[in-house]
Amino acid sequence: MRLLVLLLGCSVLGSQAADPAKILRVTFQAAETGFDPVKVSDYYSGTIIEAIFDPLLTYDYLARPAKLVPNVTESLPAISDGGKTYLLRIRKGLYFADDPVFKGVKRELIARDYAYSIKRFLDPRNRSPYAFLFEGKIAGLDELAAQARKSGRFDYDAVVAGLETPDRHTLRIRLKERDLNFGHVLAFTLVGAVAREAIEAYGDEAASHPVGSGPFRLKRYTRSSKIVLEANPGYRERIWQGKRVPMIGGVEVSIMEETQSRWLAFQKGETDIEYQLSEVAPSFMTEEGGLRPEFARRGIRLDRSVDPEITYLYFNMQERIGGQPNPVGGLGKERIALRRAIAMAYKVDDEIRIIRKGQAIRAHFPIPPGVAGHDARYRSGVPYDPPAANALLERFGYRKGRDGYRGLPNGEPLVIRYSSTPSERDRQFDELMKRSLDSIGVRLEIHKDRFPELIKLENQCRLMMRASAWIADYPDGDNFMQLLYGPNTGQSNNACYQSPEYDRRYEKSRRLPDGAERNRLYREMARLMEAHTVWLLLDSRYRNVLLQPHVQGFTKHPVLHAEWLYIDLTK
Amino acid sequence: MTAYVARRLWQFFPTLLGVVLLVFCLFNWVGGDPAYMLAGKISNPEQIENIRRQLGVDQPYAIQLWIFIKQIASGDFGASWSTNERVSDIFVTRLGPSLTVLVPLLVISTLLAMAAAMLVAYVRGSLTDRAIMIGCTVGQSVSILVYILVFQYVLAYQLGWFPVQGWGAGFAENLLRYSALPIIVGVAVSLAPDIRLYRSFFLDEINQDYVRTARAKGLSEHRVMWVHVLRNAAIPIVTNVMIQVPGLLAGAFLIERFFSIPGIGREVILAVERSDFPVIKAVTVYVALATMILNLAADLLYRVLDPRVQLK
């Protein structure tokens, strides 16, 4: 009887709809670009898309490291054929949010919507920044994209062998190669289902008329200023810890570029959650990383986590840059010694203390915390040790001249060219780099250029040295280890590193699921990278989220950003 | 008069051509390749070429320039490269918020500055004059950023008289609630230089013979200042206000960013950050056109204010 009462209670609780009076107010520090999932690459647009659209899979909100769970499917995909075939059964009775494009008829979410949505990533007209998620992966899809490039029209009705929909609710994906971690791609925020009729009806305006089946829908939108979401009344009955979600009636997102505006608005109670206040972190945080007592007394809470990202300093590994010899390139011993010495002279702790204002942790492993494959016990084998770095350079023939700077072993001048943007933040990095290289008598030349030009030169392997960052697209180690894979040179392998030993291990790791064997390979790859000193791993930044006392249920997920689904407001 | 206007309109073309060439060269010289901004984290050369082809930046410079000129002629600058929003829509939707702040700002600051300038010019050399001039020199030396930070902190956060930032859906709400503090900041920033400038205009007039004659005729000081002096001093003031308008429209980006006002200035900064050339092109051309048109309008106003002025 008690069980019956409990179940009834749960049922009543579970059936409660979102409270329209509960409006969560948050901010973005940069403007969105639009809400067409295949056309965006920025965090802000992606967060809104996450709230409006439904990917096939998602992540457990609380599990760390992130754990895949079904979203619109009945279960996790049935993987067969050694990891080449994924079978997904979509739950029946899920619907897109009502929209005039459906002419008053409830529009069910079906397998064909996902096949269509995946195809859109490779339509050349969409010039999707995330096309790489599916390129070279799904049988028949690249061929269709190649045809579209020739004809100028992507044939969405063409049969693609790797995207089958045997019935309304079943999607069978056939991959060209084994990939046991493809589930992460299917859980990626931007791989949510769009309705073909909505995309075609809104055309170029689809980016401002998102029609999804997710927990929220767009209510009001002033570009680059305000995005108002309301709970989707047709959202499926989804229970989280005994309550139907979403619990709040809507989200009001204000674009506030300036830190002072966001900080004052939060303190004044004009916003409920503040995600990005790293510049003023010392104002509300103690040196130990806690919240200052005056804020704690007001009931304000701090949610602190490490972003799933790494920042690193890379060396161009090519022997020559634009026809000229590259002093830091190649795998010769004296070149490795020079790279090692530079890495040993750079004080990462100073970077964290001075530039990051203490809001970062030292990165030792190429895969950051919260991401499958991260090894918390791994320690970098490249210590900060300028005397040892100087001794190393002496040993390999980099002798100091009368001006105090070293030359190459063959007596020619040695100049290291470090590239950065003209931003204030990068100037701080320039100074630290100059100080570091001065400590080992290596002359530094700073090359300044705009960000797009640096990326262009980087893709052409024409930069000698630069600091870079990578944040997880999905919480799997592969997303990070691919950064050093030889064939990715000219794309994501910005060090242009070509190592058969590394590549062999990487290719093997791709065929393995997350587990001990793959982790062993990752450790070997990390040591190899260190032995060749391709990168100097720098840090992973903290994300400090401030919460007003009435915000309940928030916890920062490594890759889900629209935590609004699980949040309640107690005011 | 008609011949004068026609000649001035004709002069628009070479001026605009100069602006077009300048912005085109600057963008292509220092703007960076937009394809790499749009390509995302992982892209291959084929994707980069596809983007360049779609944006038209793979075309020879002469063709790109010709397309630019045709866009000016048709008034259609296409769509934003980063958001795909029509450039015309960007201007239509952002102009309202900008004007909601700038029109009252300009009116209030001009009236206040004129009144204050006339007062200090009238009591030239007195303690009041010196005190206000010192205050103006100090005020003018302070960056607009300081005004914004201090006013936002004190008036909005500490005293709670205004919201820290924001923008609503209705005109009245935006004007009375959200624009009030930005207008106060804008007025505070412009008062100091305007008072100093307008004071010099008034002083020029106060020392004229016609003022001495008016006084000799027994006219009241009130009438001398508010009718005779003001009317003549208004001519350079009108010029100054007219010249300020286009610059303010695009140049109020700091106020718009700090107070989250979805106006033109904020959009310009976004476009520059994103290397969004269609928007940059349109802003430059529109600001150049507005400057030329308002200069012409100021010249025509001279004639209204002072019938002795001949436009030749």
Side-chain angles (χ1 to χ4, degrees):
Chain A
M1 186 62 187
R2 281 176 65 187
L3 182 66
L4 186 65
V5 170
L6 197 65
L7 284 173
L8 276 172
C10 283
S11 170
V12 170
L13 262 175
S15 66
Q16 280 176 349
D19 184 348
K22 293 178 176 175
I23 303 296
L24 183 75
R25 300 156 306 163
V26 299
T27 66
F28 284 171
Q29 69 167 0
E32 81 299 338
T33 54
F35 310 128
D36 184 339
V38 303
K39 292 185 179 174
V40 306
S41 60
D42 60 293
Y43 162 85
Y44 309 98
S45 305
T47 303
I48 299 295
I49 285 168
E50 185 184 322
I52 293 176
F53 294 93
D54 263 328
L56 285 154
L57 309 176
T58 187
Y59 294 96
D60 186 305
Y61 183 45
L62 299 176
R64 302 290 184 276
K67 181 186 162 199
L68 279 173
V69 292
N71 186 35
V72 299
T73 56
E74 291 171 356
S75 59
L76 285 174
I79 303 171
S80 59
D81 206 9
K84 286 175 83 172
T85 303
Y86 281 65
L87 188 74
L88 299 116
R89 294 192 194 284
I90 294 155
R91 287 160 55 195
K92 293 173 183 165
L94 308 183
Y95 295 93
F96 280 96
D98 294 338
D99 189 88
V101 79
F102 301 133
K103 300 183 173 74
V105 178
K106 294 288 279 182
R107 168 65 159 81
E108 193 180 11
L109 177 71
I110 55 174
R112 219 168 32 231
D113 296 319
Y114 285 98
Y116 172 73
S117 302
I118 290 172
K119 285 176 182 173
R120 292 187 74 231
F121 279 90
L122 291 202
D123 183 344
R125 279 185 308 179
N126 290 332
R127 50 176 202 252
S128 176
Y130 277 97
F132 70 87
L133 290 175
F134 297 104
E135 264 175 351
K137 287 194 179 162
I138 295 178
L141 193 53
D142 294 289
E143 291 74 6
L144 191 61
Q147 276 177 21
R149 280 194 289 275
K150 281 183 194 159
S151 66
R153 182 183 156 274
F154 194 96
D155 184 2
Y156 284 98
D157 297 314
V159 174
V160 174
L163 283 173
E164 284 181 299
T165 52
D167 61 56
R168 275 174 71 82
H169 299 96
T170 304
L171 175 67
R172 185 182 293 122
I173 300 175
R174 291 185 204 280
L175 303 178
K176 288 179 175 172
E177 291 175 15
R178 279 180 70 177
D179 186 350
L180 290 162
N181 304 298
F182 188 68
H184 288 291
V185 172
L186 301 178
F188 186 55
T189 300
L190 302 181
V191 189
V194 295
R196 182 172 177 175
E197 55 269 47
I199 294 295
E200 289 179 351
Y202 289 120
D204 288 341
E205 294 298 310
S208 52
H209 286 93
V211 183
S213 55
F216 295 93
R217 63 180 183 180
L218 190 63
K219 183 182 178 189
R220 188 158 57 84
Y221 177 34
T222 307
R223 279 180 186 266
S224 314
S225 175
K226 189 149 282 183
I227 304 156
V228 181
L229 302 176
E230 64 178 352
N232 174 8
Y235 189 58
R236 60 186 176 275
E237 189 170 297
R238 186 167 170 185
I239 307 302
W240 164 252
Q241 296 187 335
K243 290 182 179 175
R244 183 170 177 173
V245 293
M247 292 168 265
I248 55 173
V251 185
E252 196 176 288
V253 183
S254 302
I255 317 299
M256 292 189 215
E257 290 99 339
E258 298 300 332
T259 303
Q260 154 145 323
S261 305
R262 291 197 305 278
W263 178 220
L264 294 183
F266 180 80
Q267 287 189 85
K268 210 180 158 202
E270 291 178 13
T271 55
D272 298 313
I273 301 179
E274 193 44 68
Y275 294 83
Q276 289 143 332
L277 288 171
S278 57
E279 289 163 56
V280 292
S283 310
F284 59 86
M285 288 180 69
T286 60
E287 283 185 12
E288 294 74 36
L291 192 64
R292 281 179 177 271
E294 59 265 37
F295 294 100
R297 275 195 297 273
R298 287 163 56 187
I300 290 171
R301 281 168 292 127
L302 171 71
D303 182 284
R304 195 174 207 221
S305 57
V306 177
D307 264 346
E309 67 149 16
I310 50 165
T311 66
Y312 58 96
L313 191 72
Y314 72 79
F315 299 97
N316 185 338
M317 297 293 288
Q318 303 282 303
E319 295 271 2
R320 302 181 80 81
I321 298 175
Q324 298 296 315
N326 172 17
V328 299
L331 294 173
K333 282 182 182 172
E334 78 283 359
R335 302 287 178 90
I336 294 176
L338 176 59
R339 292 195 297 269
R340 179 71 59 90
I342 293 171
M344 288 165 75
Y346 189 84
K347 197 170 183 184
V348 180
D349 289 345
D350 272 1
E351 177 187 313
I352 293 173
R353 187 172 54 82
I354 300 165
I355 304 175
R356 305 281 189 216
K357 296 188 172 74
Q359 300 309 308
I361 57 165
R362 173 81 202 263
H364 288 275
F365 197 61
I367 302 169
V371 175
H374 171 70
D375 186 344
R377 287 172 302 177
Y378 186 97
R379 285 291 169 271
S380 169
V382 183
Y384 170 70
D385 192 346
N390 272 303
L392 189 65
L393 290 173
E394 287 292 333
R395 185 177 159 198
F396 281 90
Y398 294 91
R399 305 270 180 250
K400 278 188 180 173
R402 287 180 186 165
D403 58 0
Y405 287 107
R406 296 179 187 277
L408 287 166
N410 63 9
E412 288 180 9
L414 168 63
V415 179
I416 299 297
R417 199 161 190 253
Y418 172 75
S419 300
S420 64
T421 70
S423 69
E424 188 192 335
R425 171 63 61 93
D426 273 9
R427 271 197 293 276
Q428 291 178 295
F429 280 100
D430 299 345
E431 284 169 20
L432 183 56
M433 183 58 68
K434 172 85 175 113
R435 213 165 53 233
S436 304
L437 264 61
D438 277 350
S439 72
I440 53 170
V442 172
R443 192 186 298 277
L444 181 72
E445 179 185 293
I446 307 283
H447 160 231
K448 287 283 174 192
D449 216 330
R450 295 199 55 186
F451 181 72
E453 286 307 300
L454 290 181
I455 300 298
K456 183 178 181 175
L457 293 170
E458 186 172 272
N459 283 6
Q460 295 167 349
C461 297
R462 287 171 59 194
L463 298 184
M464 191 184 292
M465 195 169 98
R466 180 174 168 251
S468 190
W470 189 267
I471 190 157
D473 298 303
Y474 46 88
D476 188 62
D478 176 76
N479 193 231
F480 289 84
M481 299 312 278
Q482 57 86 24
L483 295 172
L484 290 159
Y485 181 48
N488 286 349
T489 298
Q491 299 183 53
S492 55
N493 179 355
N494 42 23
C496 307
Y497 178 48
Q498 307 277 342
S499 162
E501 295 156 284
Y502 186 96
D503 292 351
R504 197 170 56 249
R505 287 175 173 86
Y506 175 72
E507 284 159 10
K508 194 174 174 189
S509 76
R510 293 208 64 176
R511 293 191 289 271
L512 294 170
D514 175 29
E517 195 180 350
R518 196 177 72 154
N519 289 347
R520 182 182 56 77
L521 284 171
Y522 282 170
R523 277 194 296 276
E524 288 175 15
M525 290 152 77
R527 285 290 177 219
L528 195 61
M529 180 274 285
E530 276 187 7
H532 290 156
T533 320
V534 187
W535 289 355
L536 171 64
L537 277 161
L538 302 176
D539 53 36
S540 300
R541 286 167 282 193
Y542 279 116
R543 183 168 294 256
N544 300 304
V545 183
L546 284 176
L547 308 161
Q548 297 285 9
H550 52 265
V551 177
Q552 302 296 318
F554 179 92
T555 183
K556 188 75 202 82
H557 190 275
V559 289
L560 296 178
H561 302 300
E563 297 91 354
W564 316 326
L565 175 63
Y566 304 100
I567 285 176
D568 197 6
L569 300 174
T570 56
K571 59 183 172 185
Chain B
M1 175 78 138
T2 312
Y4 173 80
V5 173
R7 196 171 62 251
R8 287 289 299 271
L9 288 173
W10 177 245
Q11 287 169 357
F12 280 13
F13 291 99
T15 313
L16 199 58
L17 186 65
V19 170
V20 165
L21 284 172
L22 189 66
V23 72
F24 186 79
C25 293
L26 274 177
F27 183 81
N28 283 294
W29 183 33
V30 297
D33 192 333
Y36 286 87
M37 289 283 276
L38 298 170
K41 289 167 77 177
I42 302 179
S43 57
N44 56 45
E46 199 174 44
Q47 287 166 330
I48 296 290
E49 271 319 298
N50 175 42
I51 295 171
R52 289 173 58 80
R53 195 165 49 246
Q54 289 191 33
L55 301 182
V57 294
D58 62 333
Q59 300 280 342
Y61 286 132
I63 293 177
Q64 289 184 52
L65 183 61
W66 176 239
I67 292 170
F68 186 5
I69 291 168
K70 282 200 293 186
Q71 285 175 330
I72 297 168
S74 64
D76 180 4
F77 287 89
S80 154
W81 284 348
S82 54
T83 65
N84 221 26
E85 187 182 9
R86 304 289 310 166
V87 175
S88 52
D89 289 346
I90 290 177
F91 279 85
V92 168
T93 52
R94 280 29 162 217
L95 197 60
S98 284
L99 293 178
T100 306
V101 176
L102 291 180
V103 170
L105 189 162
L106 210 57
V107 170
I108 295 169
S109 69
T110 305
L111 292 178
L112 284 177
M114 281 173 74
M118 194 157 64
L119 171 74
V120 291
Y122 186 69
V123 295
R124 185 189 182 188
S126 69
L127 190 62
T128 310
D129 178 31
R130 286 179 193 169
I132 291 180
M133 282 305 99
I134 290 169
C136 285
T137 307
V138 173
Q140 204 173 352
S141 314
V142 178
S143 155
I144 181 174
L145 200 59
V146 175
Y147 281 97
I148 294 173
L149 293 172
V150 172
F151 278 50
Q152 192 178 43
Y153 183 78
V154 175
L155 301 183
Y157 176 64
Q158 289 286 359
L159 300 174
W161 292 351
F162 308 96
V164 169
Q165 57 72 47
W167 200 251
F171 174 71
E173 181 192 21
N174 288 331
L175 180 67
L176 302 173
R177 181 172 156 76
Y178 292 115
S179 297
L181 185 54
I183 289 171
I184 290 172
V185 172
V187 168
V189 170
S190 58
L191 265 183
D194 284 356
I195 290 174
R196 288 188 59 179
L197 182 67
Y198 298 170
R199 176 181 175 270
S200 67
F201 296 156
F202 280 104
L203 285 176
D204 285 347
E205 296 303 324
I206 284 172
N207 296 324
Q208 295 290 326
D209 289 344
Y210 72 87
V211 176
R212 201 177 320 123
T213 309
R215 283 177 176 146
K217 274 174 25 185
L219 293 180
S220 67
E221 281 300 307
H222 184 269
R223 186 164 175 79
V224 168
M225 291 304 294
W226 286 95
V227 177
H228 294 268
V229 172
L230 178 60
R231 187 162 187 175
N232 286 291
I235 295 174
I237 291 175
V238 165
T239 312
N240 183 57
V241 172
M242 290 290 202
I243 291 170
Q244 274 185 20
V245 172
L248 270 178
L249 210 57
F253 61 88
L254 271 177
I255 286 184
E256 291 184 354
R257 274 175 78 103
F258 272 87
F259 295 104
S260 305
I261 298 164
I264 297 277
R266 199 177 174 200
E267 201 61 38
V268 172
I269 298 302
L270 259 182
V272 172
E273 284 172 353
R274 292 168 168 170
S275 290
D276 201 340
F277 194 32
V279 181
I280 295 169
K281 280 191 293 191
V283 168
T284 316
V285 168
Y286 287 147
V287 168
L289 275 173
T291 306
M292 290 186 286
I293 291 168
L294 288 167
N295 273 337
L296 176 59
D299 289 349
L300 297 177
L301 261 176
Y302 286 171
R303 175 126 177 94
V304 177
L305 291 167
D306 186 352
R308 293 171 300 171
V309 172
Q310 294 292 310
L311 298 175
K312 288 182 180 174

